[in-house]
Amino acid sequence: MVACIHQAGLEVVIDVVYNHTAEGNERGPTFSFKGIDNACYYRLLPDQPRYYINDTGAGNTVNLSHPRVIQMVTDSLRYWVEQMHVDGFRFDLGTILAREPNGFDNQSGFLKACDQDPALATVKLIAEPWDCGPGGYQVGEFPPGWAEWNDKFRDDVREFWKGTGPVGVLTDRLCASGSLFNYQGRRPWSSINFVTAHDGFTLNDLVSYNDKHNEANGENNQDGRSNNHSWNCGAEGPTDDPAINQLRQRQMRNLLATLLLSQGTPMMLAGDEFGRTQRGNNNGYCQDNDTS
């Protein structure tokens, strides 16, 4: 598959999740690392090592401070590069990869290992620069050689086209958010610009709903983000009003044009190019059906 994609002139960047495992918290099952060396593979509460530090929201946190864990992850990454020939990785909850016992460190052991490895230093490394832990929001703080998801671009561009955001800040977003990324020789491509992603509204829903509509998830519409910076253009959800539909189409083009014409690396959500909808659901993770 990778070879065929390369023949078509495209690269393959895969999403990897090294921040937690399926073993959950102290009540979870024992599949592998709990039974091998629980205290090395996971971050545990220092004064109550029965319990897991949960900076991921998934029950446990992989301990990327331990040399054997770093070795395991880098061995995995090298396999994908050297055997499968992928071109890069997007790291889910990337802050965890650089969190040492005293907090986030952009010179952490794992980040240094990637920088020094002859195979990994040649591929694209993209961080989702936040997690659920203390000091988890680290947009713009990763070292040179890394690119990062830029949620400030998402929010500020949404607010601009909604008509409620400050115009002045848009200049920085159009110029690869230099205030965040222009240091230590980092290049404009370090800013991964996006207006929509797999989490949250699709582009169609961004211009069709003022509020999330996650009732189908069975959690009384409490899940998912409430502050979406969205605007329904005059009617909540689908409408037969031709003026509103025309405005929505124009707003989608405005948002995509801003994304594609800004400096930085643009990222599009699949389906936005033809107006895919999740019917106002901004947390379609649990919907194993046509919603997602």
Side-chain angles (χ1 to χ4, degrees):
M1 183 198 76
V2 175
C4 290
I5 292 174
H6 284 168
Q7 289 173 8
L10 300 172
E11 293 183 330
V12 178
V13 176
I14 63 172
D15 185 32
V16 288
V17 184
Y18 293 110
N19 58 72
H20 73 277
T21 76
E23 292 189 299
N25 60 17
E26 69 279 358
R27 298 179 179 178
T30 297
F31 289 137
S32 52
F33 303 126
K34 280 185 178 180
I36 297 173
D37 195 336
N38 186 61
C40 288
Y41 281 99
Y42 294 111
R43 295 192 186 276
L44 308 176
L45 291 178
D47 55 339
Q48 292 181 297
R50 171 190 173 189
Y51 297 104
Y52 294 78
I53 293 174
N54 183 17
D55 291 339
T56 65
N60 62 57
T61 305
V62 173
N63 182 17
L64 264 297
S65 295
H66 195 283
R68 293 288 75 79
V69 181
I70 294 176
Q71 180 183 9
M72 175 193 70
V73 174
T74 52
D75 282 350
S76 172
L77 293 170
R78 274 191 296 272
Y79 169 81
W80 283 102
V81 174
E82 296 174 345
Q83 303 299 320
M84 306 301 287
H85 306 292
V86 303
D87 303 282
F89 307 93
R90 179 265 188 188
F91 293 86
D92 186 68
L93 300 185
T95 299
I96 285 171
L97 306 176
R99 180 178 278 115
E100 299 290 0
N102 294 325
F104 178 84
D105 182 359
N106 70 359
Q107 296 298 313
S108 72
F110 174 75
L111 296 184
K112 284 185 176 180
C114 291
D115 183 56
Q116 297 170 7
D117 188 278
L120 302 182
T122 64
V123 299
K124 294 175 172 64
L125 302 174
I126 302 169
E128 181 186 32
W130 50 76
D131 64 18
C132 305
Y137 187 79
Q138 296 292 337
V139 173
E141 298 301 323
F142 277 71
W146 283 75
E148 303 172 40
W149 276 27
N150 184 357
D151 65 332
K152 292 187 182 296
F153 181 96
R154 175 197 65 196
D155 293 345
D156 290 339
V157 170
R158 287 183 179 190
E159 284 289 316
F160 174 79
W161 286 111
K162 182 182 176 182
T164 56
V167 176
V169 73
L170 192 68
T171 303
D172 193 39
R173 301 296 165 252
L174 294 173
C175 298
S177 297
S179 63
L180 295 171
F181 296 98
N182 188 16
Y183 68 93
Q184 291 187 329
R186 299 189 77 182
R187 308 301 299 163
W189 55 257
S190 301
S191 176
I192 304 293
N193 300 330
F194 65 102
V195 291
T196 53
H198 66 280
D199 293 319
F201 277 150
T202 66
L203 184 65
N204 184 306
D205 292 354
L206 182 66
V207 300
S208 302
Y209 296 91
N210 283 346
D211 303 298
K212 63 182 181 179
H213 294 270
N214 298 355
E215 290 83 4
N217 293 356
E219 298 183 32
N220 298 315
N221 205 33
Q222 297 181 80
D223 63 309
R225 186 180 182 185
S226 296
N227 186 19
N228 297 286
H229 309 288
S230 61
W231 177 44
N232 65 18
C233 297
E236 189 75 354
T239 178
D240 294 328
D241 188 319
I244 292 177
N245 286 326
Q246 184 180 31
L247 176 58
R248 288 175 176 175
Q249 290 292 323
R250 186 163 71 244
Q251 284 288 78
M252 285 193 282
R253 291 194 294 271
N254 289 337
L255 288 157
L256 286 180
T258 306
L259 172 66
L260 295 174
L261 296 176
S262 296
Q263 291 184 334
T265 303
M267 183 184 79
M268 281 184 63
L269 174 65
D272 279 353
E273 70 278 12
F274 58 82
R276 183 178 73 91
T277 179
Q278 291 182 170
R279 297 183 287 277
N281 192 320
N282 74 349
N283 188 27
Y285 173 76
C286 60
Q287 295 295 313
D288 187 15
N289 51 44
D290 63 340
T291 301
S292 56

